[in-house]
Amino acid sequence: MHISREMAIHRLRLWWTRGSGRDLVISVIGFGSLFIALIFTIAPLFSDKQQHYLLQDEQHHSPFLVDLTLLQNAHQKNAVCLDGSPAAYHFTKGFGSGSSSWIVHLEGGSWCSTVSSCILRKSTALGSSDLMEKQKEFKGILSNDASQNPDFFNWNKVKIRYCDGASFLGRDGNKNENKTGLFFRGQIIWESIMEELLTRGLKDASQALLTGCSAGGLATFFHCDSFHALLPSVARVKCFSDGGYFLDSKDISGAMTIRSFYRDVIDLHDLEKILPRDCIANKEASQCFFPQELIKFIDTPFLILNSAYDWWQIIHVLVAKKLNPGLLWERCMTNIQSCSQDQIKIINGFRETLISTLRDFQHRKDSGLYINSCYQHCQATSDLWHSLKINNKSIAEAVGDWYLDRDEVKIIDCAYPCNPTCEHADLSLYKFN
């Protein structure tokens, strides 16, 4: 198996950091001749045997943990979470050929649409940096494992924590802030962290990719062009949403439950003024919160990664669990393999609706699509990044091909249950009421 010199050095660095190399040196340091032999052992680093050893060793390395960074001067900038604590992110520096390339990932975690739900949220990591993990594991597209993330393993990587409850969009228009003790500052968080990252090297980026998961995936539709505008005109800049293509669709009762929910989010966080003007001139504001409308106004090259059987959308958009649809639907939502034929027929109708909304976008020259048939939600920051495949192409390969212009990527999987590489979510611990 061929790997680049840079990858081989990176794997040796990991091998040494984990102690394997140091332990070996210590064991022979007292034996002069053996130490010389060790040097000759390391010298042919790029032999097939050594490359294979390093590759096998790396597959079992410890988690790649990245420290939490609190935004500098967050309070002075009003860049604070729902509870007033500083905005935060995780950052790891790139190296080698990736030293001027950047991935910025927006964390997800649904939304809060009422004062009471936002107050509950601020007592969690989705509303307070005081409660966030001090380290976060970077996997998938954020991984430093060259064998699983060959195109992006050595890039600068940032994970921006989500703590505003409105997809990084609120500013300071909350009329009830003094009464509730809530701070709706998502847009200020976005702008302030971007400003700080520019000083940490982003302003000199030669390549950059904005992505996000779920509510963070929706945020990429809103922030993609502004992200592009921050960077040098010579830079390659693209965006992709992971599990963020939420569908403006009726639920099984015929109601527009998700549109009503988004209307409440918009009203509470005072978001109407940030919606595309050309959209709200012709549609209800809540409709302009959906990616199928937002994508029409994005100029930057964009890729949509989504499951046609996205479990979050099946539960909250199609079935609308709050309507208490019954035990049969609860079993189906818990495990798609427990769904009846009639339920699968309804879910496949939802799939067809999703695909139909993507037809115009699919014809854009710079667009990318990777729509699989797995019962999953976010996929790019997990092991699914390299294990899930459509037509023998993994998500990692597809995103790399699209981003680097190696190949056109407009892939739509066949209908469930056709894909043998799928690992379907088991939601047996999920609360349905």
Side-chain angles (χ1 to χ4, degrees):
M1 174 181 181
H2 175 72
I3 59 175
S4 68
R5 180 178 184 276
E6 188 173 87
M7 286 186 186
I9 292 172
H10 172 57
R11 287 167 184 167
L12 182 60
R13 183 187 294 114
L14 290 175
W15 174 67
W16 182 272
T17 301
R18 293 194 299 276
S20 303
R22 291 194 300 274
D23 291 346
L24 185 55
V25 169
I26 290 170
S27 68
V28 300
I29 195 81
F31 306 95
S33 60
L34 289 179
F35 182 73
I36 293 172
L38 172 65
I39 298 301
F40 280 100
T41 300
I42 293 177
L45 175 62
F46 310 113
S47 70
D48 291 341
K49 183 176 180 180
Q50 189 75 353
Q51 290 173 9
H52 177 74
Y53 168 76
L54 292 170
L55 178 60
Q56 292 298 108
D57 181 57
E58 186 168 1
Q59 290 175 351
H60 303 287
H61 74 268
S62 57
F64 178 30
L65 300 174
V66 180
D67 292 339
L68 184 72
T69 298
L70 297 180
L71 177 68
Q72 295 180 18
N73 303 316
H75 290 102
Q76 292 91 321
K77 296 177 180 179
N78 290 322
V80 295
C81 300
L82 284 169
D83 72 334
S85 59
Y89 60 94
H90 303 259
F91 169 65
T92 182
K93 193 168 178 59
F95 60 91
S97 62
S99 58
S100 65
S101 299
W102 288 72
I103 290 173
V104 176
H105 176 84
L106 299 173
E107 184 181 35
S110 193
W111 308 264
C112 56
S113 62
T114 64
V115 169
S116 59
S117 65
C118 289
I119 289 174
L120 287 173
R121 191 180 181 94
K122 77 174 187 177
S123 64
T124 73
L126 288 170
S128 173
S129 61
D130 293 339
L131 301 173
M132 292 175 184
E133 310 94 313
K134 300 309 177 188
Q135 292 184 315
K136 196 77 171 176
E137 183 177 3
F138 275 22
K139 300 180 69 175
I141 194 171
L142 300 178
S143 170
N144 66 344
D145 186 335
S147 67
Q148 298 179 358
N149 190 27
D151 291 315
F152 308 107
F153 76 97
N154 61 349
W155 286 30
N156 297 278
K157 304 186 193 80
V158 183
K159 185 181 188 73
I160 301 179
R161 300 303 297 269
Y162 178 41
C163 64
D164 68 281
S167 287
F168 300 92
L169 294 174
R171 189 168 284 280
D172 52 6
N174 176 27
K175 308 177 188 68
N176 300 313
E177 189 171 282
N178 291 333
K179 297 179 181 178
T180 64
L182 294 168
F183 299 87
F184 296 148
R185 306 290 177 79
Q187 178 71 26
I188 301 176
I189 289 173
W190 160 259
E191 292 171 357
S192 299
I193 291 181
M194 287 299 103
E195 182 182 351
E196 185 159 304
L197 293 177
L198 288 170
T199 67
R200 301 191 71 169
L202 181 60
K203 66 180 177 62
D204 299 316
S206 61
Q207 299 186 112
L209 178 60
L210 175 67
T211 182
C213 152
S214 191
L218 175 62
T220 63
F221 289 92
F222 282 102
H223 292 305
C224 181
D225 281 346
S226 65
F227 178 71
H228 195 171
L230 292 171
L231 301 172
S233 58
V234 296
R236 182 202 303 264
V237 184
K238 299 186 180 184
C239 309
F240 90 89
S241 170
D242 173 18
Y245 193 83
F246 297 97
L247 198 60
D248 186 14
S249 178
K250 294 179 179 179
D251 62 35
I252 56 176
S253 74
M256 302 297 291
T257 300
I258 188 65
R259 189 189 293 182
S260 176
F261 174 73
Y262 278 162
R263 186 182 302 117
D264 292 341
V265 172
I266 292 167
D267 290 345
L268 179 65
H269 295 262
D270 195 19
L271 303 181
E272 186 167 342
K273 60 180 175 286
I274 59 91
L275 300 174
R277 292 182 180 179
D278 290 344
C279 182
I280 59 176
N282 299 294
K283 295 182 180 293
E284 180 187 333
S286 59
Q287 291 177 270
C288 301
F289 205 69
F290 288 93
Q292 62 204 71
E293 297 299 330
L294 295 171
I295 196 65
K296 299 174 184 177
F297 306 99
I298 297 174
D299 295 323
T300 305
F302 205 101
L303 180 142
I304 294 170
L305 163 64
N306 232 82
S307 170
Y309 302 86
D310 184 306
W311 67 256
W312 195 96
Q313 294 202 60
I314 299 298
I315 292 172
H316 297 276
V317 180
L318 176 62
V319 181
K321 71 180 181 67
K322 72 176 186 177
L323 301 178
N324 296 315
L327 184 59
L328 290 178
W329 268 112
E330 185 171 321
R331 288 174 180 167
C332 176
M333 292 185 293
T334 298
N335 187 332
I336 194 171
Q337 295 170 316
S338 298
C339 297
S340 68
Q341 289 300 313
D342 287 341
Q343 289 168 327
I344 291 296
K345 185 176 180 180
I346 292 170
I347 293 172
N348 276 333
F350 186 77
R351 170 184 178 270
E352 288 302 319
T353 301
L354 183 145
I355 292 171
S356 69
T357 67
L358 291 168
R359 287 191 181 122
D360 289 342
F361 173 72
Q362 189 174 2
H363 294 305
R364 275 178 44 170
K365 182 179 179 181
D366 58 4
S367 69
L369 277 178
Y370 194 95
I371 309 297
N372 60 67
S373 60
C374 309
Y375 195 55
Q376 288 290 349
H377 185 37
C378 294
Q379 302 170 88
T381 52
S382 72
D383 289 337
L384 296 170
W385 171 249
H386 61 87
S387 64
L388 193 159
K389 296 186 177 183
I390 306 176
N391 302 331
N392 207 36
K393 181 170 284 195
S394 68
I395 302 172
E397 292 167 327
V399 174
D401 285 348
W402 168 78
Y403 182 84
L404 297 170
D405 298 317
R406 291 189 301 235
D407 194 10
E408 183 179 72
V409 176
K410 296 182 180 181
I411 304 172
I412 298 177
D413 206 355
C414 48
Y416 171 87
C418 69
N419 191 330
T421 71
C422 280
E423 179 182 335
H424 301 295
D426 179 359
L427 305 177
S428 55
L429 298 179
Y430 194 87
K431 295 182 180 180
F432 289 94
N433 47 40

